[in-house]
Amino acid sequence: MRLKITQSKNARSLYVIKSFRANGKNTSKIVEKLGTYDELLRKLNGQDPIAWAKAYIEELNRKDKEENRKIMVQYSPAKLIAKDEQHSFNAGYLFLQQIYHQLKLHDICRTIADKYKFSFSLDAVLSRLVYGRILFPASKSATCQLSARFIEQSNFELQHIYRALEVIAKETDFIQSELYKNSLALGKRNCGVLYYDCTNYFFEIEQEEGLKQYGYSKEHRPNPLVQMGLFMDGDGIPLAFDIHAGNTNEQVTLTPLEQKILDDFGVSKFVVCTDAGLASYDNRRFNDRCDRAFITTQSIKTLKAYLKEWALHPAGWRLMGGNGPERYDISTLDEQKDRENTYYKERWINENGLEQKLIVTYSIKHREYQREVRNGQIERAAKLIGTRPGKLKKCGPNDCKRFIAKTTITADGEVAEKTLFSIDTDIIAAEEAFDGFYGTCTNLEDEAPAIMTAVHRRWEIEECFRILKSEFKARPVYLSRDDRIRAHFVTCFIALSIYRFLEKKLSGRFTCRQIIQGLRDMNFLEIPGDGFVPNYTRSDFTDALHAAFGFRTDYQILSKSQFKKISAATKK
C-alpha cells in the first residue's frame, strides 16, 4: 500500500492506495480516504499530515504482513459490476485436495506422464475429475466447465480430458496398486477381512457394444449395462475394482480381481466376505487355501433337506453374546422381552469335499422386518389384481407379482372363457417359514459371534455402491468407448476412496449427505485485491472439518497470502 495525493481546485486529498494484479493486468484500488490536507492538519494539531500518512501506511503494511489489518471494502449502489468476471468460488475441494496429495496421486500422474510424454497436465485433469465427481457430479464436458468454480484455476481443455481417460484406462492396475501402497502412509489398512460385491450401471442407449451388454439389471432397467466388482477393506475403504461386460455372470468376477490383489498389493492373508450371489463352490474353494478363508451368505431355502430341517428346528439354539451353555427353544420366546436378542446354532458340513461351518441365526426383530416388507409387496400385488391383471408377466423371486395366482375357468373343459387372479396364500406360507432365519457358511474355526460380527459389516460395501450411484451420480454413463468407460470408473473409485478417508478423519460423526453438501456449500466471495470472504454458514460440521485437517477457512476474510499458505499446506 502507498500514499496518493490528489489535487483539486479547492483542496488536496490523501488516499491509501493498494496495487494488485487482476485478470493479467496491473491495477489499483482505494483502500481508505484519509481526508484533505487541511482537515488532517487541524486533527493532528499541527503535525505534518503527509509525514503522518506515510507512517500510518507503513503501520498498515506491517499489520497486513501479520494478517491483522482490518479490511474496509467500498461498494457503490450506482456502479455496475464488471461484465464476465467471476467472483464466487468453491473452496470445499481443499479438504479433498489434501487427501489427494497424501495419497500421492500427483506423483502417480507424474509417473504416467513421463511414460507417455504428453504435454497437458494429467494431474490437473484427474484431480478436477475427482473433485468434480464428489462435489459437482456431471458429464465430462460439464466437469470441464465446472472446474472453473474452484478458487485455483486449471488450464486444460475438454480434449485433454478425453485424452487423459484413454491413458488412465491403460494404467488402471498401476493406479490401483500404487494407490493402495500410498494409502498405508495414512494409517494401517484393515485387510484382515475383505468384502466383495458386484453391481451394474446402465447407459441411456439401446444397442449393445463392447462392455455395454444387456444383462440382469439391479435397478430393473431395460438398458445395456456394465458390471463393477469391488473389494472393500474392513474399515469400509475401497481396495480394488474391475469392470466387466453387463452380461457377465458375477460368480466369475471374484477370483480374477482377488488374484490381482495377491499379485500386486502384497496382501496374502485375509478372509473374503460375500453375499449369496457370489457364494459359488469355485469361489469358496479358491479361498480355502494358503492363508485365505471365506465367509459367505448361505440361502437356507437351497440347503439339502436334512440341513434345512436342522436349521429350522426350534430346539438347540444359543444366545448370541451369552456366556453359558444354555440352549433355547425359539418357539417359546417372548415376543417383547426377547425381541432384541439374536440366537444361533452351528455345525460342520462337508459339501463335495469342502469342509465348512454352517451358522444359522434367528431374530424376532429380523422376522418382523421381513414380514413387514412382504406385507407391503402383498398390498402392491392386490392393487395390481384390481387395476391391470392383463399385464402380469413372469416375475423374479423378489417381485410382488410372485404372490399372484392365476386360475383359468372353462365352460366345457377345452376353451378358456375367463381368468381369475388371486393372492396365493400357499406361497406366502412357504416364505413365512423362513422368516427371521439367516444362514452363513465359512471355513474358519472361530466362534459364531466373531463370524457374525464380520458379516454385519457387509452393509458398508452396499453403501459404497449407493454413494457412487446416488451422491456421485456414476450412472447413467454417457461414454461410448470401452477405454473411456473404464477410466470413468477409475475416477469414481478414486473419488470414493478419498471420500472414505475424509469420512474416517471425521470419525463417522456426519452422514454422507451432510459431508458432501457441506463441502459444496463452502463458497467464497472474492474481494479483488484483498482476498476471499466466506459465504457459508459456520457449523459443527465446518468446525470438525477444520479441526481434522489442521487449517481454517472460516475467518471473516482470507487474504490472498493466507489462501496461498492453505493451498500449499494441502499439497504437502
Side-chain angles (χ1 to χ4, degrees):
M1 286 175 284
R2 57 186 173 80
L3 174 66
K4 182 176 181 179
I5 303 173
T6 62
Q7 181 72 50
S8 66
K9 183 178 180 180
N10 298 317
R12 284 190 296 168
S13 298
L14 282 67
Y15 296 90
V16 180
I17 299 295
K18 181 175 183 178
S19 299
F20 61 96
R21 191 170 180 82
N23 299 322
K25 297 180 180 180
N26 292 322
T27 185
S28 62
K29 63 178 286 186
I30 296 174
V31 175
E32 184 180 352
K33 181 180 180 180
L34 301 177
T36 66
Y37 184 91
D38 293 337
E39 289 173 344
L40 291 172
L41 192 62
R42 288 193 298 272
K43 289 180 181 179
L44 297 171
N45 298 320
Q47 182 182 350
D48 181 13
I50 295 177
W52 171 85
K54 289 181 178 179
Y56 175 70
I57 292 172
E58 185 178 348
E59 178 66 13
L60 288 180
N61 284 326
R62 184 187 67 79
K63 288 183 176 180
D64 192 37
K65 289 182 179 179
E66 295 176 357
E67 299 172 350
N68 291 320
R69 178 179 65 87
K70 291 184 178 180
I71 296 174
M72 290 170 285
V73 182
Q74 295 181 344
Y75 291 104
S76 171
K79 189 175 181 180
L80 293 174
I81 61 174
K83 193 174 183 180
D84 296 327
E85 282 190 9
Q86 179 183 353
H87 294 291
S88 179
F89 299 90
N90 176 272
Y93 77 94
L94 289 170
F95 304 93
L96 307 176
Q97 183 166 270
Q98 185 176 96
I99 300 175
Y100 179 94
H101 280 265
Q102 288 174 342
L103 292 172
K104 298 182 180 179
L105 281 156
H106 59 297
D107 288 339
I108 294 174
C109 289
R110 187 181 302 115
T111 301
I112 295 173
D114 290 341
K115 179 178 178 181
Y116 290 90
K117 307 296 182 185
F118 42 73
S119 58
F120 65 90
S121 172
L122 180 62
D123 177 39
V125 173
L126 179 61
S127 61
R128 268 50 190 176
L129 287 175
V130 170
Y131 306 157
R133 181 55 52 188
I134 298 173
L135 299 178
F136 314 114
S139 67
K140 301 300 176 283
S141 176
T143 300
C144 185
Q145 298 173 1
L146 289 169
S147 63
R149 297 180 64 175
F150 302 134
I151 292 180
E152 295 172 285
Q153 301 291 292
S154 294
N155 185 23
F156 61 82
E157 301 172 6
L158 181 59
Q159 60 164 318
H160 298 140
I161 290 183
Y162 290 120
R163 289 178 62 194
L165 292 178
E166 297 168 17
V167 175
I168 291 170
K170 293 177 183 177
E171 299 296 330
T172 298
D173 292 344
F174 171 74
I175 291 172
Q176 291 187 69
S177 62
E178 288 299 299
L179 187 62
Y180 168 75
K181 293 171 186 176
N182 295 341
S183 71
L184 299 176
L186 276 66
K188 186 178 179 181
R189 295 291 295 266
N190 183 4
C191 293
V193 180
L194 303 184
Y195 298 83
Y196 182 78
D197 204 353
C198 284
T199 193
N200 46 47
Y201 300 83
F202 65 88
F203 294 75
E204 293 284 11
I205 59 173
E206 295 182 357
Q207 186 175 355
E208 296 178 309
E209 183 184 6
L211 289 171
K212 306 180 293 294
Q213 298 290 325
Y214 282 100
Y216 171 72
S217 171
K218 308 236 176 187
E219 295 159 319
H220 309 291
R221 297 185 66 95
N223 303 95
L225 311 166
V226 294
Q227 187 163 246
M228 170 190 267
L230 177 69
F231 266 106
M232 177 193 84
D233 71 14
D235 290 328
I237 300 174
L239 187 70
F241 86 99
D242 205 357
I243 295 296
H244 305 275
N247 58 359
T248 305
N249 183 345
E250 65 179 16
Q251 297 272 7
V252 302
T253 65
L254 184 148
T255 54
L257 186 55
E258 186 176 338
Q259 191 62 54
K260 287 183 182 179
I261 294 175
L262 294 168
D263 296 338
D264 300 340
F265 288 40
V267 179
S268 59
K269 186 176 181 179
F270 52 82
V271 179
V272 175
C273 186
T274 71
D275 65 10
L278 291 151
S280 69
Y281 174 81
D282 289 340
N283 287 342
R284 298 188 199 195
R285 177 63 75 183
F286 183 75
N287 284 296
D288 187 40
R289 63 184 70 169
C290 301
D291 293 322
R292 303 194 304 281
F294 65 84
I295 302 173
T296 187
T297 303
Q298 172 63 55
S299 170
I300 297 177
K301 295 178 183 178
T302 61
L303 287 172
K304 292 181 179 179
Y306 76 97
L307 291 175
K308 188 185 302 183
E309 182 182 356
W310 168 83
L312 300 179
H313 196 279
W317 294 82
R318 299 176 63 181
L319 176 64
M320 192 76 73
N323 297 320
E326 186 177 359
R327 295 293 189 271
Y328 297 84
D329 186 324
I330 59 174
S331 65
T332 64
L333 296 178
D334 187 292
E335 292 288 316
Q336 297 300 321
K337 180 181 176 181
D338 298 319
R339 177 179 172 78
E340 300 296 326
N341 293 341
T342 299
Y343 300 86
Y344 73 95
K345 59 171 61 173
E346 58 185 336
R347 63 175 291 174
W348 285 93
I349 61 176
N350 188 312
E351 297 292 320
N352 299 320
L354 178 63
E355 290 282 346
Q356 49 189 326
K357 182 190 291 185
L358 173 61
I359 302 170
V360 180
T361 63
Y362 177 79
S363 163
I364 294 176
K365 188 175 182 178
H366 183 53
R367 182 199 69 191
E368 295 306 309
Y369 167 75
Q370 288 179 305
R371 289 183 178 175
E372 182 181 350
V373 171
R374 185 185 303 106
N375 288 337
Q377 293 175 333
I378 293 171
E379 288 180 10
R380 293 198 297 275
K383 288 181 181 179
L384 282 175
I385 292 174
T387 57
R388 46 178 185 172
K391 294 186 177 182
L392 299 179
K393 298 179 180 179
K394 184 178 180 181
C395 60
N398 296 314
D399 195 315
C400 68
K401 293 193 291 290
R402 71 186 186 277
F403 296 118
I404 300 177
K406 180 179 178 182
T407 306
T408 302
I409 300 175
T410 64
D412 54 8
E414 295 181 1
V415 181
E417 294 182 348
K418 188 176 181 181
T419 300
L420 296 180
F421 297 93
S422 61
I423 297 298
D424 194 327
T425 56
D426 290 339
I427 291 180
I428 295 173
E431 290 193 8
E432 283 184 344
F434 296 92
D435 286 350
F437 296 92
Y438 186 88
T440 302
C441 271
T442 180
N443 58 347
L444 292 170
E445 296 183 1
D446 301 54
E447 294 294 327
I451 301 296
M452 297 312 298
T453 297
V455 171
H456 289 160
R457 297 208 62 175
R458 202 168 52 79
W459 65 269
E460 290 185 273
I461 197 163
E462 297 290 347
E463 185 186 47
C464 283
F465 289 141
R466 184 193 61 77
I467 292 171
L468 284 173
K469 292 182 176 182
S470 300
E471 303 299 335
F472 294 177
K473 294 180 171 57
R475 89 289 186 253
V477 184
Y478 295 108
L479 298 163
S480 57
R481 287 174 39 173
D482 284 356
D483 56 350
R484 292 176 180 177
I485 292 169
R486 189 174 297 277
H488 165 72
F489 287 106
V490 173
T491 62
C492 291
F493 173 80
I494 294 173
L496 180 62
S497 300
I498 289 176
Y499 167 77
R500 283 300 204 188
F501 278 113
L502 185 151
E503 191 178 55
K504 189 176 179 181
K505 271 180 171 282
L506 295 173
S507 304
R509 293 173 54 190
F510 304 94
T511 66
C512 177
R513 184 62 56 85
Q514 288 174 322
I515 292 172
I516 294 177
Q517 192 60 53
L519 295 175
R520 287 173 183 163
D521 290 343
M522 295 188 78
N523 295 316
F524 287 73
L525 178 65
E526 182 186 25
I527 309 299
D530 289 316
F532 302 92
V533 175
N535 190 27
Y536 63 87
T537 303
R538 182 184 169 194
S539 63
D540 290 340
F541 167 71
T542 61
D543 282 350
L545 196 64
H546 290 127
F549 283 81
F551 63 85
R552 303 199 74 91
T553 66
D554 51 0
Y555 297 107
Q556 291 183 353
I557 187 169
L558 277 177
S559 67
K560 291 287 184 72
S561 60
Q562 281 179 299
F563 177 78
K564 287 180 180 179
K565 290 179 182 177
I566 290 173
S567 177
T570 64
K571 297 176 182 177
K572 290 182 179 179

